[in-house]
Amino acid sequence: MNPVRALHLPAYAGFFVGQFHKMLAYRTRYVTGIISYLVYVTTYYFLWKAVFSRRAPDDAIAGFSGAQMATYVAIGWIARSFYFNNVDRELAEQVQNGSIAVALSRPVSLQGTIVASTLGEGLFRFLFFTLPISVVIFLLFPVAPPASALHAAAFLLSNVLALAILTQLNFLVGLCAFPLKNIDGVMRAKHYLIELLSGLLIPVAMFPGWLQSLSAWLPFQAISYLPSSLWLGHARAGAEWLGGDATLIGRVLLVQAAWVAALAALGAFCWGLAARRLSVQGG
Amino acid sequence: MRALKIYAALFAQMLKVRLAYRGDFLADLFATALGGLSSLFFVLLFFVPVDSLAGWKRDEVLLIAGLSSMSYGLFATVSWNLFEFGDRYIIEGRFDRVLLRPISTFAQILCDQFRIPVLAETVIGAGVVATAMHRLGIGFGALEWLFVAVTVACGALLYVFVFTILASVSFHFEDRVGVAPPVFNVIPFGRWPQEIFPWPIRTLLRWVIPFGFVAYYPSTALLGRGSLKGMAALSPLVTLAFGVLAALCWRLGVRKYESTGS
Amino acid sequence: MPAVIVENLEKEFRRFRRREGLAGAFKDLFQRDYEVLRAVDGVSFSIERGERIGYIGPNGAGKSTTIKMLTGILTPSGGRIESLGLSPHKQRKQYVRRIGVVFGQRTQLWWDLAVVESFKLLLQIYEVEKRAGEARLAKLRELLALDEFLHIPVRKLSLGQRMRADLAASLLHGPELLFLDEPTIGLDLVAKDAIRALLKRVNDEFGTTILLTTHDLRDIEALAERVMVIDGGKIVWDGRLEALRDEAGEEATAEIELLEPAALPELQRLLPQVRFEQENPLHLRARFSKRAIPAAELLSRLVGALQVADIALPEPSIEEVIRRIYEKAGKSAMVAAQKQGVAR
């Protein structure tokens, strides 16, 4: 049997292309999206600049110099322009309007179709958001290049894994629409939780000690903090458990992959529960 | 006035409906409060490694952030529809029904949905403002109360007007997302001391997207610091000006809808 | 003085044309294509108070656009509407207090609120005086049998119940004119019958003028006194329902089962005013006008000339007539387009 067939890859490819197509149709979202990222980077760049401007050039905070912090902010938001998606909202809408029942009747798994379409969206975002945003940001802000070519490649791969982690998290949040009537609040809480605990707004290294230990056991820092540390080429406070710089790349990717697997398993389990409820109670 | 009465009646109804699903309501309230807290928690986290930001201490920055949260909560409770306007009303065609009712179209859009849990943000913001004022040794006289109340009301209205202007763009360009997201993302700019930004951004936040008037300028007045504390007095005027602009944009949009039906 | 006067009404739209394929979608990002569409093209009619009118036409004929202009939602591009002495789009707030509108596909009630709470809010919105509102609601509760679901949230109602609730909502403020866009769409047969009966009672009881669009011609047969047919943005038929029925009655068909095959040319010579069609050697269909030859005469002559096993005269439907109207309108539109082409 053809292994490609067996995995229903052509079927998933349809979702991949479909999502890509859908994204192209929204030209306003495209323009406003680029502006939004510029706004994000500007805000946090100047916030940190104000902090470092009163310090000596070599006076680092938790291992970050002013220049490194600027790079960290820019890279973090550029990466977000790639891995971000709205799987939770889309899934919740399907649950609320009942079209989720169609997912049960398809010969492919729901999680699989979602991964395929987020990858399609990711490729679109990379080509049409992330690249132009990077150009603008590299021109406007002082961003240091990656530590090495190997680090750059690892950074790219790491962000694909970040996309996978976020997708699985969003899938879980979207499934909340089964027990809850309205998940606006849950989505909002998740949004802020990720922005804060992923290290996007403030590096995990600057967290107080107790929050650093807590973060080590949560998937959030694998979305932003770990990939960005690959670009900078250093393992930093709050991630000592990753070991030294030499093995950094391998370990970051491994930790991320483990989170993808764990969250995907949890998602499959929860979807199983939801699907049973759907087929028993009719939604 | 009549719109206000209908508004109150609808609000009571929605509250009743939401409370009927108590578990759901509490979960939503809890999650929203968590979201609201996290943005204030960021300020706390930020001041762990840092002791002052362009001369502003932690409690002073919390005062700005708290005021901003209070206004935002009021705004987001009543006007979530403005963000979904293009999608819900223009593309899905609900605006036809709005035109068939004998009260102001704008009042109807504001009335149509309430996100009651978001009020948690206003409550949390109030707590933060009170704590910050106490720790900063600002008195709690009638004047201060009145000042905070007017500031929060003006701030909330200013948000409403700015996003009304942006929502009326949906009348002209059929698009589910609309142009509001980048401006929505500018809101956090207003939560920080404006000194940290270079002059183009400061000017932008003063005169173009005037979110500086929501919390920053009023805070400078409360704290009696800086050369710009007089700007707080302009806050109601700026709000009024944007109200007029919003009304014009809305009218223009409705007229366009009447001629094309989309 | 008629309730509604419409003269030479016109509406043009500019429509965005999406390009095909991925490359097309990409091109649309930068440059858009538009085409002009004449949805309503010189429509004139008037409506008397208390009339029940069925407004029909194929999809995209201009029905909804006309309704939207009559209700004040859309501004006409040309022509004039005077309804209840007002200009719908210019004096909209004043006008909508005096009309009711039901969209079959979309509810005007608040999804999460109990039906009765929605009604209370609407009474407030339309500024109905308290006593009058209560009396009106009591009357509608009885008329539309609302009591069984008055305290249930709208989203939990069946489609038939929701339509009754929507109908009540549109009548709460005592409108003089009631517009209904596809009021029976998606309903089962029993619910459809109920809605038709209710509309008739509303018309009797309150004297409300009713204009409804529909795709279900049984709505028209059950409800309308007068029928207007629109196609290609033009009114192609306007008259009493009986006139439509008569026209339907005049054009008749007979289905003839034979015992042995007939010679068609010979038969045609014998009865030149009848058009014969041969389904198979033992089944003939005769199309004829009752004015040209009465049915009884046709039957007796057929029985005399052929070995007849059975003859059936199926009841002609107005559906058949309307199909013919559409066809005729389609042809004339085609002819007009061809002429235009020549002129150019």
Side-chain angles (χ1 to χ4, degrees):
Chain A
M1 193 174 179
N2 182 343
V4 175
R5 264 270 126 75
L7 285 168
H8 302 286
L9 282 185
Y12 290 117
F15 287 95
F16 180 99
V17 173
Q19 187 72 13
F20 195 91
H21 223 122
K22 207 170 93 191
M23 298 289 295
L24 263 177
Y26 294 101
R27 61 170 177 173
T28 322
R29 179 187 287 187
Y30 177 65
V31 177
T32 59
I34 289 181
I35 298 173
S36 289
Y37 278 91
L38 207 55
V39 170
Y40 291 134
V41 175
T42 310
T43 317
Y44 295 101
Y45 172 79
F46 284 110
L47 199 58
W48 290 107
K49 193 180 172 187
V51 170
F52 281 96
S53 67
R54 304 207 168 186
R55 291 168 174 260
D58 56 346
D59 188 3
I61 300 176
F64 281 86
S65 69
Q68 281 173 325
M69 199 58 222
T71 302
Y72 182 86
V73 167
I75 289 305
W77 286 100
I78 286 173
R80 185 182 185 267
S81 73
F82 162 73
Y83 64 66
F84 187 82
N85 61 54
N86 280 318
V87 166
D88 46 355
R89 173 162 301 142
E90 286 154 11
L91 184 61
E93 273 167 15
Q94 282 187 39
V95 172
Q96 279 153 4
N97 66 28
S99 60
I100 190 75
V102 178
L104 280 179
S105 64
R106 284 205 181 117
V108 289
S109 95
L110 176 67
Q111 259 174 314
T113 59
I114 287 178
V115 168
S117 61
T118 51
L119 284 177
E121 183 172 341
L123 180 62
F124 174 88
R125 285 175 162 273
F126 181 75
L127 293 175
F128 291 101
F129 273 139
T130 310
L131 287 183
I133 287 169
S134 309
V135 170
V136 175
I137 286 174
F138 286 171
L139 286 176
L140 288 177
F141 300 97
V143 186
S148 73
L150 184 63
H151 282 91
F155 172 77
L156 290 179
L157 182 57
S158 173
N159 273 299
V160 175
L161 289 167
L163 167 70
I165 293 172
L166 184 68
T167 303
Q168 296 302 338
L169 270 175
N170 280 346
F171 182 71
L172 283 166
V173 169
L175 287 182
C176 290
F178 278 100
L180 296 175
K181 214 169 123 280
N182 181 341
I183 65 159
D184 282 355
V186 181
M187 287 194 298
R188 235 166 95 77
K190 177 221 69 175
H191 176 82
Y192 285 117
L193 222 56
I194 288 181
E195 280 204 345
L196 204 60
L197 295 181
S198 70
L200 181 62
L201 300 184
I202 176 167
V204 175
M206 294 186 194
F207 286 3
W210 61 272
L211 195 58
Q212 284 186 21
S213 337
L214 182 65
S215 289
W217 295 99
L218 295 172
F220 303 115
Q221 64 167 332
I223 296 172
S224 179
Y225 186 61
L226 297 187
S228 294
S229 66
L230 286 182
W231 180 283
L232 295 170
H234 299 287
R236 298 186 182 273
E240 291 93 349
W241 43 275
L242 280 172
D245 291 354
T247 53
L248 180 73
I249 291 175
R251 287 175 186 238
V252 163
L253 297 179
L254 207 64
V255 167
Q256 285 186 303
W259 273 117
V260 174
L263 290 169
L266 186 60
F269 174 73
C270 292
W271 166 243
L273 288 181
R276 197 176 319 146
R277 204 182 90 147
L278 200 64
S279 56
V280 172
Q281 304 177 355
Chain B
M1 203 51 230
R2 200 161 64 81
L4 270 182
K5 233 172 106 186
I6 294 166
Y7 214 72
L10 194 67
F11 185 82
Q13 285 302 331
M14 291 290 176
L15 189 63
K16 214 169 82 182
V17 169
R18 293 308 302 274
L19 287 175
Y21 301 86
R22 209 176 308 149
D24 216 81
F25 182 72
L26 288 177
D28 202 6
L29 191 66
F30 176 76
T32 310
L34 194 70
L37 276 175
S38 81
S39 62
L40 293 159
F41 191 62
F42 173 49
V43 178
L44 292 181
L45 269 189
F46 186 79
F47 279 99
V48 171
V50 173
D51 50 7
S52 105
L53 180 65
W56 288 67
K57 300 267 175 254
R58 186 186 72 181
D59 291 337
E60 295 170 328
V61 174
L62 277 175
L63 179 66
I64 309 179
L67 283 174
S68 168
S69 284
M70 286 176 82
S71 294
Y72 175 80
L74 286 180
F75 152 72
T77 301
V78 297
S79 54
W80 198 248
N81 268 338
L82 291 177
F83 292 115
E84 300 179 340
F85 182 72
D87 193 5
R88 247 175 91 78
Y89 291 88
I90 306 296
I91 293 180
E92 289 179 16
R94 283 192 180 83
F95 203 71
D96 284 355
R97 174 54 65 191
V98 171
L99 285 171
L100 289 172
R101 289 190 176 140
I103 50 175
S104 131
T105 51
F106 181 60
Q108 287 184 69
I109 300 301
L110 288 191
C111 284
D112 214 11
Q113 274 184 323
F114 288 101
R115 296 168 80 236
I116 292 161
V118 187
L119 274 181
E121 192 135 332
T122 300
V123 175
I124 293 168
V128 171
V129 168
T131 313
M133 280 170 72
H134 173 72
R135 292 174 59 114
L136 291 165
I138 302 169
F140 280 99
L143 205 62
E144 280 82 5
W145 281 118
L146 186 69
F147 184 84
V148 169
V150 171
T151 295
V152 171
C154 282
L157 283 174
L158 192 57
Y159 283 142
V160 170
F161 295 146
V162 167
F163 288 102
T164 301
I165 293 169
L166 297 172
S168 31
V169 173
S170 300
F171 284 115
H172 307 274
F173 302 97
E174 205 167 287
D175 190 284
R176 281 186 194 275
V177 191
V179 290
V183 178
F184 182 77
N185 293 328
V186 169
I187 290 180
F189 270 132
R191 299 172 73 90
W192 298 96
Q194 304 286 289
E195 294 92 316
I196 66 169
F197 299 116
W199 69 265
I201 298 180
R202 279 203 308 269
T203 312
L204 179 86
L205 289 174
R206 198 180 293 162
W207 303 122
V208 185
I209 308 170
F211 291 160
F213 286 99
V214 172
Y216 169 71
Y217 293 122
S219 299
T220 57
L222 265 180
L223 294 165
R225 62 176 291 164
S227 54
L228 287 169
K229 59 189 180 212
M231 291 289 279
L234 280 179
S235 183
L237 289 180
V238 170
T239 305
L240 189 68
F242 271 77
V244 172
L245 194 61
L248 286 175
C249 290
W250 187 259
R251 281 211 174 166
L252 205 67
V254 173
R255 200 162 305 155
K256 160 75 170 37
Y257 186 90
E258 286 167 348
S259 83
T260 59
S262 61
Chain C
M1 166 99 183
V4 181
I5 304 167
V6 173
E7 281 169 0
N8 263 322
L9 192 63
E10 281 176 15
K11 186 71 204 172
E12 277 181 353
F13 291 118
R14 227 162 55 115
R15 222 144 270 152
F16 165 46
R17 204 162 29 189
R18 268 184 208 285
R19 294 182 178 89
E20 275 176 25
L22 199 61
F26 192 69
K27 223 172 171 186
D28 278 340
L29 239 91
F30 302 101
Q31 195 193 7
R32 304 197 145 185
D33 244 6
Y34 292 96
E35 59 190 342
V36 173
L37 193 93
R38 223 156 219 255
V40 173
D41 191 4
V43 162
S44 302
F45 57 83
S46 67
I47 299 175
E48 296 298 328
R49 273 179 200 274
E51 271 195 296
R52 293 195 305 261
I53 300 178
Y55 190 43
I56 56 179
N59 287 330
K63 276 177 309 197
S64 296
T65 309
T66 320
I67 294 262
K68 282 185 178 176
M69 287 192 280
L70 283 173
T71 49
I73 294 173
L74 271 181
T75 310
S77 343
R80 186 176 81 99
I81 303 178
E82 192 187 317
S83 187
L84 306 174
L86 300 169
S87 161
H89 68 279
K90 280 190 196 136
Q91 292 157 293
R92 200 183 56 235
K93 272 193 202 170
Q94 212 180 329
Y95 176 65
V96 295
R97 270 174 212 282
R98 294 169 61 188
I99 64 167
V101 184
V102 176
F103 293 115
Q105 323 241 35
R106 202 173 295 136
T107 182
Q108 66 159 313
L109 304 163
W110 284 266
W111 207 234
D112 290 320
L113 297 192
V115 175
V116 67
E117 307 290 0
S118 280
F119 288 170
K120 282 185 191 159
L121 283 168
L122 283 171
L123 285 172
Q124 234 173 346
I125 286 172
Y126 283 93
E127 281 185 294
V128 180
E129 193 259 325
K130 201 163 183 229
R131 274 257 203 75
E134 274 165 15
R136 188 92 184 169
L137 183 54
K139 183 91 192 158
L140 287 169
R141 271 164 67 174
E142 181 230 302
L143 199 65
L144 299 171
L146 302 175
D147 285 349
E148 50 176 304
F149 53 80
L150 209 51
H151 297 282
I152 296 176
V154 173
R155 75 191 130 77
K156 289 193 179 162
L157 300 184
S158 74
L159 205 53
Q161 289 173 327
R162 210 211 73 204
M163 190 45 66
R164 265 143 73 196
D166 254 310
L167 197 54
S170 66
L171 292 166
L172 273 173
H173 53 287
E176 297 156 57
L177 260 169
L178 180 61
F179 297 94
L180 304 114
D181 196 8
E182 301 279 353
T184 58
I185 198 162
L187 298 184
D188 62 49
L189 291 175
V190 178
K192 277 187 180 182
D193 272 343
I195 293 291
R196 289 171 195 144
L198 292 169
L199 282 172
K200 215 163 187 173
R201 284 187 69 184
V202 165
N203 173 257
D204 288 342
E205 214 65 37
F206 302 117
T208 314
T209 311
I210 293 178
L211 180 85
L212 79 148
T213 72
T214 183
H215 276 110
D216 188 341
L217 292 172
R218 275 161 300 178
D219 288 348
I220 302 289
E221 283 180 285
L223 261 176
E225 301 166 324
R226 174 179 160 195
V227 178
M228 293 196 290
V229 184
I230 186 169
D231 196 12
K234 291 183 186 334
I235 299 275
V236 292
W237 206 90
D238 183 356
R240 318 298 301 167
L241 181 67
E242 300 89 71
L244 202 61
R245 280 229 176 89
D246 289 348
E247 202 165 304
E250 269 174 27
E251 301 291 318
T253 48
E255 305 282 345
I256 307 146
E257 302 281 349
L258 299 173
L259 289 173
E260 48 190 62
L264 206 56
E266 205 174 298
L267 200 58
Q268 195 72 69
R269 220 173 307 128
L270 191 66
L271 291 163
Q273 62 273 64
V274 179
R275 201 149 52 88
F276 287 100
E277 292 162 12
Q278 195 159 31
E279 282 283 289
N280 60 52
L282 290 177
H283 190 154
L284 282 181
R285 181 174 298 124
R287 294 188 182 276
F288 63 103
S289 157
K290 287 181 185 170
R291 248 182 302 179
I293 178 167
E297 192 191 331
L298 176 70
L299 293 192
S300 70
R301 292 181 67 174
L302 282 176
V303 172
L306 301 166
Q307 288 288 328
V308 175
D310 190 19
I311 295 186
L313 285 163
E315 188 69 23
S317 63
I318 66 164
E319 201 165 339
E320 180 67 22
V321 179
I322 286 166
R323 197 176 55 79
R324 265 181 245 151
I325 293 174
Y326 287 175
E327 274 171 8
K328 223 188 286 172
K331 260 182 223 146
S332 64
M334 242 152 50
V335 170
Q338 274 166 354
K339 271 184 193 158
Q340 255 184 356
V342 172
R344 230 180 278 132

